Amino acid sequence: MELLVLLNALVTRLLFVLHSLIGVWRVTEVKKEPKYWLLALLNLLLCLETGLTLKFKQGKGYKWFSPAIFLYLISTVPSLWLLETHRETQFCSNEKQTWENISNREDFNQLKESTPQYQGADHHIIESARVFVSQLSTVCETVWTLGLHQTFLLLLIIGRWLLPIGGEITRDQLSQLLLMFVGTAADILEFTSETLEVENVRHNHALVYAILCVWTWSMLQFPLDLAVQHIGCKLSVSSTRVPTLLLCRHSADLWNIGISLFIQDGPFLVLRLILMSYFKVINQMLVFFTAKNILVVMLQLYRLIVLSLDFRASLQYLPNSRIGGVTCCPSEPNDTTLPPSDWDTDMRECTAIPLEDSPVPSEYQ
C-alpha cells in the first residue's frame, strides 16, 4: 500500500511537470526567444515540495490544502498568460492551416516512399515521429492555446484524484470534491474561450488582462478542500455569537457559497456585465451565460438566507436550549461521514455554551 501511495504521488507530479514544460516550449516557439525557458525553473518548487512531502508525510496529502496543485498552478499559469497576450496568436486562417496540413501530409508520404527498406522499422519510426512533431509545430496557435487550457483543467481534476489523500478527508468527500471540480472547470473554460475569442476584446489589451486576472483568481479554488470538509470548532464560553456558531455548523456550505460569490460566479458576472454595458460586446452566448451567473448568485444568496433563518430557529426553539444557564449543541454535526462516536464528541464540545440573546419559549418558563 505504501508503494502505491508513493507511485501515485510521483506519477501525478511528473504529469504536472511535463505539462508545464510543454507550455514553456510553446511560449519559446511563439516568442522565438530562448530566454523563456527560464519559466521551467518554476518546476523546481514542485520538485522541492515532492521531496518534503515524501519525507515528512510519506507521500500523503495535507489538511484543507494541496501544495502540489498550487505549485502546478504557479508553474503553468505564466505560460498561458504569455500565450494569450501574444498578438499573433489571436486569430488564425483556416485556409492557411488546411494547406499546411496537406503539405505536411505530402511530405510524409514522400518520405515514406523514399525511405530504403533495409534501414528497418526503427528508422521509419524515428522519421515518422519527426514529421509528427513538425506537424504539431504548424498547428494554429489558438488551437494550441485552447488545447493547453483544456488539458490544464483536466490534469487538475485527474491529478487531484490520483494524489494520495490525507487522513482528514474521506474518499466520499474526495468524490464530491471531484464532481464539483468538473462543473467548475467547465464554467472556467467556457468563460475564457467565450470572452477571449471576441475580436473587439482581443484588440483591447487592458480588457484581456482583466479577463486573465479573473481567470487566474478563479483557479485558486482548486488547491482547497474546504468545500467538503467540516471545520470542527471547539467553542469557548465567550464564543456565543450566532455567526460563530453558524460557521461551525455550516462551514462547508458557507465555503461553497463564498466560492460562488467571490471567486467564480460573482467575478464572472461583473466582467460580463462590463463587457455588455461599457464595451458593447453583446452576443447570444454572452447574454445566456450572464443570465446564468445572475441566477446562480441569486440562488446562493437565497441559500445563505435559508441557512441563517434555519439556524436561528434551531437556537430559539430547541427544547433543551437552556437548562441551568447552559446550552446544548444547536444541531448535529454537518459531516455525516463521521462515525457516531465522533458525533458524541462534537456534542460534548458544544455543551456549556450560554446563550446571551436567545429567548425562552413560554412553554418552558
Side-chain angles (χ1 to χ4, degrees):
M1 189 63 181
E2 294 296 333
L3 180 61
L4 182 60
V5 171
L6 178 63
L7 184 63
N8 286 340
L10 292 178
V11 169
T12 304
R13 289 168 173 84
L14 179 61
L15 290 175
F16 290 165
V17 171
L18 289 177
H19 185 265
S20 176
L21 291 178
I22 292 175
V24 175
W25 169 68
R26 287 312 305 166
V27 173
T28 58
E29 287 290 321
V30 169
K31 298 289 187 178
K32 306 299 182 183
E33 295 184 21
K35 66 179 182 180
Y36 287 101
W37 278 110
L38 294 176
L39 291 173
L41 296 178
L42 293 173
N43 290 288
L44 294 178
L45 297 174
L46 187 58
C47 296
L48 178 62
E49 183 272 339
T50 302
L52 294 177
T53 301
L54 294 178
K55 180 178 180 180
F56 296 105
K57 299 284 290 184
Q58 290 76 45
K60 297 182 179 180
Y62 296 83
K63 185 177 182 180
W64 300 337
F65 182 74
S66 176
I69 298 292
F70 180 71
L71 294 177
Y72 176 45
L73 294 177
I74 291 178
S75 61
T76 307
V77 167
S79 299
L80 293 176
W81 265 71
L82 292 171
L83 291 174
E84 289 289 0
T85 55
H86 187 64
R87 294 184 178 181
E88 297 178 4
T89 65
Q90 295 175 4
F91 305 101
C92 62
S93 172
N94 293 330
E95 181 178 359
K96 178 181 178 180
Q97 180 66 28
T98 303
W99 283 109
E100 286 179 350
N101 291 337
I102 293 175
S103 177
N104 288 328
R105 195 178 302 112
E106 291 176 351
D107 293 341
F108 175 73
N109 293 331
Q110 293 176 2
L111 177 65
K112 182 178 179 180
E113 294 174 357
S114 62
T115 301
Q117 298 294 328
Y118 64 82
Q119 291 184 356
D122 294 339
H123 180 77
H124 178 68
I125 293 175
I126 294 175
E127 292 299 329
S128 300
R130 184 181 64 82
V131 174
F132 177 72
V133 172
S134 65
Q135 287 180 344
L136 289 179
S137 301
T138 60
V139 174
C140 180
E141 291 302 330
T142 55
V143 177
W144 259 109
T145 305
L146 179 60
L148 287 174
H149 273 287
Q150 294 170 339
T151 52
F152 181 39
L153 292 168
L154 288 176
L155 271 180
L156 284 172
I157 300 172
I158 297 175
R160 189 65 188 88
W161 190 7
L162 294 178
L163 282 174
I165 61 177
E168 294 80 9
I169 183 173
T170 64
R171 297 189 181 277
D172 177 59
Q173 292 173 335
L174 179 62
S175 63
Q176 296 178 29
L177 185 67
L178 293 174
L179 289 174
M180 292 172 55
F181 281 174
V182 170
T184 299
D187 288 342
I188 293 175
L189 180 62
E190 177 278 324
F191 171 75
T192 54
S193 60
E194 174 250 334
T195 53
L196 291 175
E197 288 180 358
V198 179
E199 184 176 358
N200 295 336
V201 173
R202 276 295 183 183
H203 293 317
N204 192 322
H205 297 292
L207 193 55
V208 172
Y209 291 142
I211 293 174
L212 291 177
C213 286
V214 173
W215 168 74
T216 305
W217 173 248
S218 66
M219 299 298 293
L220 295 179
Q221 59 186 295
F222 285 97
L224 300 173
D225 300 338
L226 291 172
V228 293
Q229 293 195 60
H230 176 68
I231 301 177
C233 300
K234 293 185 178 181
L235 300 175
S236 62
V237 177
S238 59
S239 301
T240 59
R241 295 187 178 276
V242 172
T244 304
L245 298 175
L246 177 62
L247 178 62
C248 291
R249 177 182 177 183
H250 297 291
S251 58
D253 294 325
L254 294 177
W255 176 250
N256 284 323
I257 295 174
I259 286 179
S260 178
L261 295 180
F262 301 108
I263 298 183
Q264 187 168 331
D265 291 285
F268 288 2
L269 174 60
V270 172
L271 190 56
R272 284 178 171 131
L273 290 177
I274 293 175
L275 285 175
M276 296 174 62
S277 60
Y278 185 78
F279 293 97
K280 307 301 180 182
V281 178
I282 301 176
N283 55 60
Q284 185 177 4
M285 295 302 295
L286 184 60
V287 172
F288 171 77
F289 284 107
T290 302
K292 176 236 179 189
N293 289 140
I294 293 175
L295 183 60
V296 171
V297 170
M298 292 176 61
L299 290 175
Q300 293 290 1
L301 292 175
Y302 173 74
R303 176 164 176 76
L304 180 61
I305 295 173
V306 169
L307 290 176
S308 301
L309 294 177
D310 177 70
F311 183 76
R312 290 199 65 91
S314 66
L315 286 179
Q316 294 177 5
Y317 299 109
L318 195 66
N320 297 323
S321 61
R322 171 172 290 187
I323 303 176
V326 298
T327 182
C328 297
C329 187
S331 66
E332 60 272 3
N334 187 49
D335 189 357
T336 58
T337 60
L338 294 175
S341 59
D342 292 339
W343 296 1
D344 297 337
T345 302
D346 289 342
M347 292 291 289
R348 288 193 298 268
E349 290 175 355
C350 291
T351 58
I353 304 175
L355 292 179
E356 298 175 353
D357 301 324
S358 179
V360 180
S362 58
E363 60 267 34
Y364 297 109
Q365 292 180 351

PDB file of all heavy atoms in Angstrom, residues 300-321:
ATOM      1  N   GLN A 300     -27.526  31.383  -4.566  1.00  0.00           N
ATOM      2  CA  GLN A 300     -26.574  31.274  -3.467  1.00  0.00           C
ATOM      3  C   GLN A 300     -26.942  32.218  -2.327  1.00  0.00           C
ATOM      4  O   GLN A 300     -26.835  31.849  -1.146  1.00  0.00           O
ATOM      5  CB  GLN A 300     -25.150  31.564  -3.957  1.00  0.00           C
ATOM      6  CG  GLN A 300     -24.587  30.534  -4.923  1.00  0.00           C
ATOM      7  CD  GLN A 300     -24.297  29.204  -4.268  1.00  0.00           C
ATOM      8  OE1 GLN A 300     -24.517  28.999  -3.084  1.00  0.00           O
ATOM      9  NE2 GLN A 300     -23.785  28.261  -5.046  1.00  0.00           N
ATOM     10  N   LEU A 301     -27.367  33.427  -2.651  1.00  0.00           N
ATOM     11  CA  LEU A 301     -27.821  34.345  -1.606  1.00  0.00           C
ATOM     12  C   LEU A 301     -29.071  33.813  -0.922  1.00  0.00           C
ATOM     13  O   LEU A 301     -29.227  33.941   0.311  1.00  0.00           O
ATOM     14  CB  LEU A 301     -28.085  35.727  -2.219  1.00  0.00           C
ATOM     15  CG  LEU A 301     -26.847  36.480  -2.718  1.00  0.00           C
ATOM     16  CD1 LEU A 301     -27.272  37.776  -3.410  1.00  0.00           C
ATOM     17  CD2 LEU A 301     -25.892  36.782  -1.572  1.00  0.00           C
ATOM     18  N   TYR A 302     -29.971  33.222  -1.707  1.00  0.00           N
ATOM     19  CA  TYR A 302     -31.173  32.620  -1.124  1.00  0.00           C
ATOM     20  C   TYR A 302     -30.806  31.483  -0.175  1.00  0.00           C
ATOM     21  O   TYR A 302     -31.372  31.358   0.919  1.00  0.00           O
ATOM     22  CB  TYR A 302     -32.087  32.115  -2.239  1.00  0.00           C
ATOM     23  CG  TYR A 302     -33.270  31.319  -1.756  1.00  0.00           C
ATOM     24  CD1 TYR A 302     -34.350  31.940  -1.134  1.00  0.00           C
ATOM     25  CD2 TYR A 302     -33.309  29.931  -1.927  1.00  0.00           C
ATOM     26  CE1 TYR A 302     -35.443  31.200  -0.696  1.00  0.00           C
ATOM     27  CE2 TYR A 302     -34.397  29.189  -1.489  1.00  0.00           C
ATOM     28  CZ  TYR A 302     -35.454  29.830  -0.877  1.00  0.00           C
ATOM     29  OH  TYR A 302     -36.524  29.097  -0.436  1.00  0.00           O
ATOM     30  N   ARG A 303     -29.838  30.670  -0.574  1.00  0.00           N
ATOM     31  CA  ARG A 303     -29.409  29.566   0.296  1.00  0.00           C
ATOM     32  C   ARG A 303     -28.774  30.098   1.576  1.00  0.00           C
ATOM     33  O   ARG A 303     -28.978  29.544   2.658  1.00  0.00           O
ATOM     34  CB  ARG A 303     -28.422  28.666  -0.449  1.00  0.00           C
ATOM     35  CG  ARG A 303     -27.849  27.555   0.420  1.00  0.00           C
ATOM     36  CD  ARG A 303     -27.205  26.465  -0.403  1.00  0.00           C
ATOM     37  NE  ARG A 303     -26.579  25.460   0.437  1.00  0.00           N
ATOM     38  CZ  ARG A 303     -27.232  24.520   1.112  1.00  0.00           C
ATOM     39  NH1 ARG A 303     -28.550  24.478   1.044  1.00  0.00           N
ATOM     40  NH2 ARG A 303     -26.590  23.642   1.850  1.00  0.00           N
ATOM     41  N   LEU A 304     -28.009  31.177   1.476  1.00  0.00           N
ATOM     42  CA  LEU A 304     -27.401  31.768   2.661  1.00  0.00           C
ATOM     43  C   LEU A 304     -28.468  32.271   3.628  1.00  0.00           C
ATOM     44  O   LEU A 304     -28.365  32.070   4.852  1.00  0.00           O
ATOM     45  CB  LEU A 304     -26.475  32.918   2.249  1.00  0.00           C
ATOM     46  CG  LEU A 304     -25.759  33.654   3.383  1.00  0.00           C
ATOM     47  CD1 LEU A 304     -24.860  32.701   4.171  1.00  0.00           C
ATOM     48  CD2 LEU A 304     -24.947  34.819   2.825  1.00  0.00           C
ATOM     49  N   ILE A 305     -29.505  32.886   3.107  1.00  0.00           N
ATOM     50  CA  ILE A 305     -30.595  33.360   3.961  1.00  0.00           C
ATOM     51  C   ILE A 305     -31.327  32.189   4.609  1.00  0.00           C
ATOM     52  O   ILE A 305     -31.658  32.222   5.804  1.00  0.00           O
ATOM     53  CB  ILE A 305     -31.564  34.227   3.138  1.00  0.00           C
ATOM     54  CG1 ILE A 305     -30.859  35.510   2.667  1.00  0.00           C
ATOM     55  CG2 ILE A 305     -32.805  34.575   3.948  1.00  0.00           C
ATOM     56  CD1 ILE A 305     -31.681  36.336   1.706  1.00  0.00           C
ATOM     57  N   VAL A 306     -31.570  31.129   3.853  1.00  0.00           N
ATOM     58  CA  VAL A 306     -32.261  29.959   4.394  1.00  0.00           C
ATOM     59  C   VAL A 306     -31.451  29.320   5.516  1.00  0.00           C
ATOM     60  O   VAL A 306     -31.986  28.963   6.571  1.00  0.00           O
ATOM     61  CB  VAL A 306     -32.539  28.946   3.271  1.00  0.00           C
ATOM     62  CG1 VAL A 306     -33.003  27.612   3.847  1.00  0.00           C
ATOM     63  CG2 VAL A 306     -33.587  29.489   2.315  1.00  0.00           C
ATOM     64  N   LEU A 307     -30.147  29.184   5.308  1.00  0.00           N
ATOM     65  CA  LEU A 307     -29.297  28.612   6.353  1.00  0.00           C
ATOM     66  C   LEU A 307     -29.314  29.463   7.617  1.00  0.00           C
ATOM     67  O   LEU A 307     -29.374  28.937   8.737  1.00  0.00           O
ATOM     68  CB  LEU A 307     -27.862  28.459   5.837  1.00  0.00           C
ATOM     69  CG  LEU A 307     -27.621  27.387   4.776  1.00  0.00           C
ATOM     70  CD1 LEU A 307     -26.165  27.435   4.305  1.00  0.00           C
ATOM     71  CD2 LEU A 307     -27.975  26.008   5.289  1.00  0.00           C
ATOM     72  N   SER A 308     -29.257  30.770   7.446  1.00  0.00           N
ATOM     73  CA  SER A 308     -29.252  31.660   8.611  1.00  0.00           C
ATOM     74  C   SER A 308     -30.566  31.586   9.373  1.00  0.00           C
ATOM     75  O   SER A 308     -30.585  31.489  10.609  1.00  0.00           O
ATOM     76  CB  SER A 308     -28.980  33.094   8.159  1.00  0.00           C
ATOM     77  OG  SER A 308     -27.737  33.186   7.485  1.00  0.00           O
ATOM     78  N   LEU A 309     -31.704  31.629   8.660  1.00  0.00           N
ATOM     79  CA  LEU A 309     -33.001  31.569   9.326  1.00  0.00           C
ATOM     80  C   LEU A 309     -33.214  30.223  10.006  1.00  0.00           C
ATOM     81  O   LEU A 309     -33.743  30.151  11.129  1.00  0.00           O
ATOM     82  CB  LEU A 309     -34.116  31.838   8.314  1.00  0.00           C
ATOM     83  CG  LEU A 309     -34.157  33.248   7.714  1.00  0.00           C
ATOM     84  CD1 LEU A 309     -35.265  33.354   6.674  1.00  0.00           C
ATOM     85  CD2 LEU A 309     -34.331  34.298   8.806  1.00  0.00           C
ATOM     86  N   ASP A 310     -32.819  29.153   9.345  1.00  0.00           N
ATOM     87  CA  ASP A 310     -32.978  27.830   9.944  1.00  0.00           C
ATOM     88  C   ASP A 310     -32.115  27.686  11.195  1.00  0.00           C
ATOM     89  O   ASP A 310     -32.540  27.093  12.189  1.00  0.00           O
ATOM     90  CB  ASP A 310     -32.613  26.766   8.913  1.00  0.00           C
ATOM     91  CG  ASP A 310     -32.692  25.361   9.486  1.00  0.00           C
ATOM     92  OD1 ASP A 310     -33.807  24.906   9.748  1.00  0.00           O
ATOM     93  OD2 ASP A 310     -31.620  24.735   9.678  1.00  0.00           O
ATOM     94  N   PHE A 311     -30.935  28.256  11.162  1.00  0.00           N
ATOM     95  CA  PHE A 311     -30.053  28.149  12.321  1.00  0.00           C
ATOM     96  C   PHE A 311     -30.601  28.944  13.506  1.00  0.00           C
ATOM     97  O   PHE A 311     -30.584  28.481  14.646  1.00  0.00           O
ATOM     98  CB  PHE A 311     -28.654  28.625  11.950  1.00  0.00           C
ATOM     99  CG  PHE A 311     -27.658  28.493  13.065  1.00  0.00           C
ATOM    100  CD1 PHE A 311     -27.131  27.261  13.404  1.00  0.00           C
ATOM    101  CD2 PHE A 311     -27.265  29.606  13.794  1.00  0.00           C
ATOM    102  CE1 PHE A 311     -26.214  27.128  14.427  1.00  0.00           C
ATOM    103  CE2 PHE A 311     -26.357  29.478  14.819  1.00  0.00           C
ATOM    104  CZ  PHE A 311     -25.828  28.246  15.144  1.00  0.00           C
ATOM    105  N   ARG A 312     -31.087  30.149  13.258  1.00  0.00           N
ATOM    106  CA  ARG A 312     -31.649  30.944  14.352  1.00  0.00           C
ATOM    107  C   ARG A 312     -32.896  30.280  14.928  1.00  0.00           C
ATOM    108  O   ARG A 312     -33.143  30.331  16.142  1.00  0.00           O
ATOM    109  CB  ARG A 312     -31.970  32.353  13.874  1.00  0.00           C
ATOM    110  CG  ARG A 312     -30.734  33.194  13.589  1.00  0.00           C
ATOM    111  CD  ARG A 312     -31.084  34.669  13.582  1.00  0.00           C
ATOM    112  NE  ARG A 312     -31.506  35.108  14.912  1.00  0.00           N
ATOM    113  CZ  ARG A 312     -30.678  35.600  15.819  1.00  0.00           C
ATOM    114  NH1 ARG A 312     -29.374  35.670  15.567  1.00  0.00           N
ATOM    115  NH2 ARG A 312     -31.133  36.002  16.992  1.00  0.00           N
ATOM    116  N   ALA A 313     -33.682  29.644  14.059  1.00  0.00           N
ATOM    117  CA  ALA A 313     -34.860  28.936  14.562  1.00  0.00           C
ATOM    118  C   ALA A 313     -34.451  27.755  15.438  1.00  0.00           C
ATOM    119  O   ALA A 313     -35.087  27.472  16.460  1.00  0.00           O
ATOM    120  CB  ALA A 313     -35.718  28.457  13.391  1.00  0.00           C
ATOM    121  N   SER A 314     -33.391  27.065  15.071  1.00  0.00           N
ATOM    122  CA  SER A 314     -32.943  25.941  15.882  1.00  0.00           C
ATOM    123  C   SER A 314     -32.402  26.412  17.226  1.00  0.00           C
ATOM    124  O   SER A 314     -32.497  25.701  18.216  1.00  0.00           O
ATOM    125  CB  SER A 314     -31.866  25.153  15.123  1.00  0.00           C
ATOM    126  OG  SER A 314     -30.693  25.932  14.957  1.00  0.00           O
ATOM    127  N   LEU A 315     -31.842  27.615  17.273  1.00  0.00           N
ATOM    128  CA  LEU A 315     -31.367  28.154  18.549  1.00  0.00           C
ATOM    129  C   LEU A 315     -32.527  28.537  19.464  1.00  0.00           C
ATOM    130  O   LEU A 315     -32.474  28.338  20.682  1.00  0.00           O
ATOM    131  CB  LEU A 315     -30.491  29.394  18.305  1.00  0.00           C
ATOM    132  CG  LEU A 315     -29.078  29.176  17.749  1.00  0.00           C
ATOM    133  CD1 LEU A 315     -28.393  30.512  17.571  1.00  0.00           C
ATOM    134  CD2 LEU A 315     -28.257  28.276  18.648  1.00  0.00           C
ATOM    135  N   GLN A 316     -33.592  29.054  18.896  1.00  0.00           N
ATOM    136  CA  GLN A 316     -34.672  29.590  19.704  1.00  0.00           C
ATOM    137  C   GLN A 316     -35.632  28.510  20.187  1.00  0.00           C
ATOM    138  O   GLN A 316     -36.197  28.621  21.282  1.00  0.00           O
ATOM    139  CB  GLN A 316     -35.452  30.637  18.898  1.00  0.00           C
ATOM    140  CG  GLN A 316     -34.619  31.868  18.584  1.00  0.00           C
ATOM    141  CD  GLN A 316     -35.388  32.852  17.720  1.00  0.00           C
ATOM    142  OE1 GLN A 316     -36.562  32.652  17.440  1.00  0.00           O
ATOM    143  NE2 GLN A 316     -34.724  33.918  17.299  1.00  0.00           N
ATOM    144  N   TYR A 317     -35.855  27.455  19.397  1.00  0.00           N
ATOM    145  CA  TYR A 317     -36.911  26.500  19.707  1.00  0.00           C
ATOM    146  C   TYR A 317     -36.411  25.102  20.035  1.00  0.00           C
ATOM    147  O   TYR A 317     -37.194  24.181  20.104  1.00  0.00           O
ATOM    148  CB  TYR A 317     -37.887  26.413  18.521  1.00  0.00           C
ATOM    149  CG  TYR A 317     -38.545  27.737  18.243  1.00  0.00           C
ATOM    150  CD1 TYR A 317     -38.215  28.473  17.119  1.00  0.00           C
ATOM    151  CD2 TYR A 317     -39.504  28.248  19.126  1.00  0.00           C
ATOM    152  CE1 TYR A 317     -38.809  29.694  16.876  1.00  0.00           C
ATOM    153  CE2 TYR A 317     -40.099  29.471  18.885  1.00  0.00           C
ATOM    154  CZ  TYR A 317     -39.746  30.186  17.756  1.00  0.00           C
ATOM    155  OH  TYR A 317     -40.328  31.391  17.517  1.00  0.00           O
ATOM    156  N   LEU A 318     -35.115  24.935  20.217  1.00  0.00           N
ATOM    157  CA  LEU A 318     -34.635  23.639  20.658  1.00  0.00           C
ATOM    158  C   LEU A 318     -35.118  23.389  22.080  1.00  0.00           C
ATOM    159  O   LEU A 318     -34.948  24.226  22.952  1.00  0.00           O
ATOM    160  CB  LEU A 318     -33.098  23.595  20.599  1.00  0.00           C
ATOM    161  CG  LEU A 318     -32.468  22.205  20.698  1.00  0.00           C
ATOM    162  CD1 LEU A 318     -32.835  21.374  19.481  1.00  0.00           C
ATOM    163  CD2 LEU A 318     -30.958  22.309  20.827  1.00  0.00           C
ATOM    164  N   PRO A 319     -35.743  22.262  22.377  1.00  0.00           N
ATOM    165  CA  PRO A 319     -36.361  22.067  23.698  1.00  0.00           C
ATOM    166  C   PRO A 319     -35.397  22.227  24.846  1.00  0.00           C
ATOM    167  O   PRO A 319     -35.747  22.813  25.870  1.00  0.00           O
ATOM    168  CB  PRO A 319     -36.899  20.628  23.603  1.00  0.00           C
ATOM    169  CG  PRO A 319     -37.103  20.388  22.149  1.00  0.00           C
ATOM    170  CD  PRO A 319     -36.030  21.151  21.466  1.00  0.00           C
ATOM    171  N   ASN A 320     -34.180  21.740  24.710  1.00  0.00           N
ATOM    172  CA  ASN A 320     -33.216  21.807  25.803  1.00  0.00           C
ATOM    173  C   ASN A 320     -32.186  22.908  25.580  1.00  0.00           C
ATOM    174  O   ASN A 320     -31.028  22.774  25.935  1.00  0.00           O
ATOM    175  CB  ASN A 320     -32.487  20.463  25.944  1.00  0.00           C
ATOM    176  CG  ASN A 320     -33.430  19.357  26.301  1.00  0.00           C
ATOM    177  OD1 ASN A 320     -34.374  19.577  27.065  1.00  0.00           O
ATOM    178  ND2 ASN A 320     -33.191  18.162  25.755  1.00  0.00           N
ATOM    179  N   SER A 321     -32.638  23.981  24.952  1.00  0.00           N
ATOM    180  CA  SER A 321     -31.676  25.016  24.603  1.00  0.00           C
ATOM    181  C   SER A 321     -31.153  25.741  25.823  1.00  0.00           C
ATOM    182  O   SER A 321     -30.074  26.296  25.803  1.00  0.00           O
ATOM    183  CB  SER A 321     -32.317  26.019  23.639  1.00  0.00           C
ATOM    184  OG  SER A 321     -33.426  26.630  24.246  1.00  0.00           O
TER     185      SER A 321
END
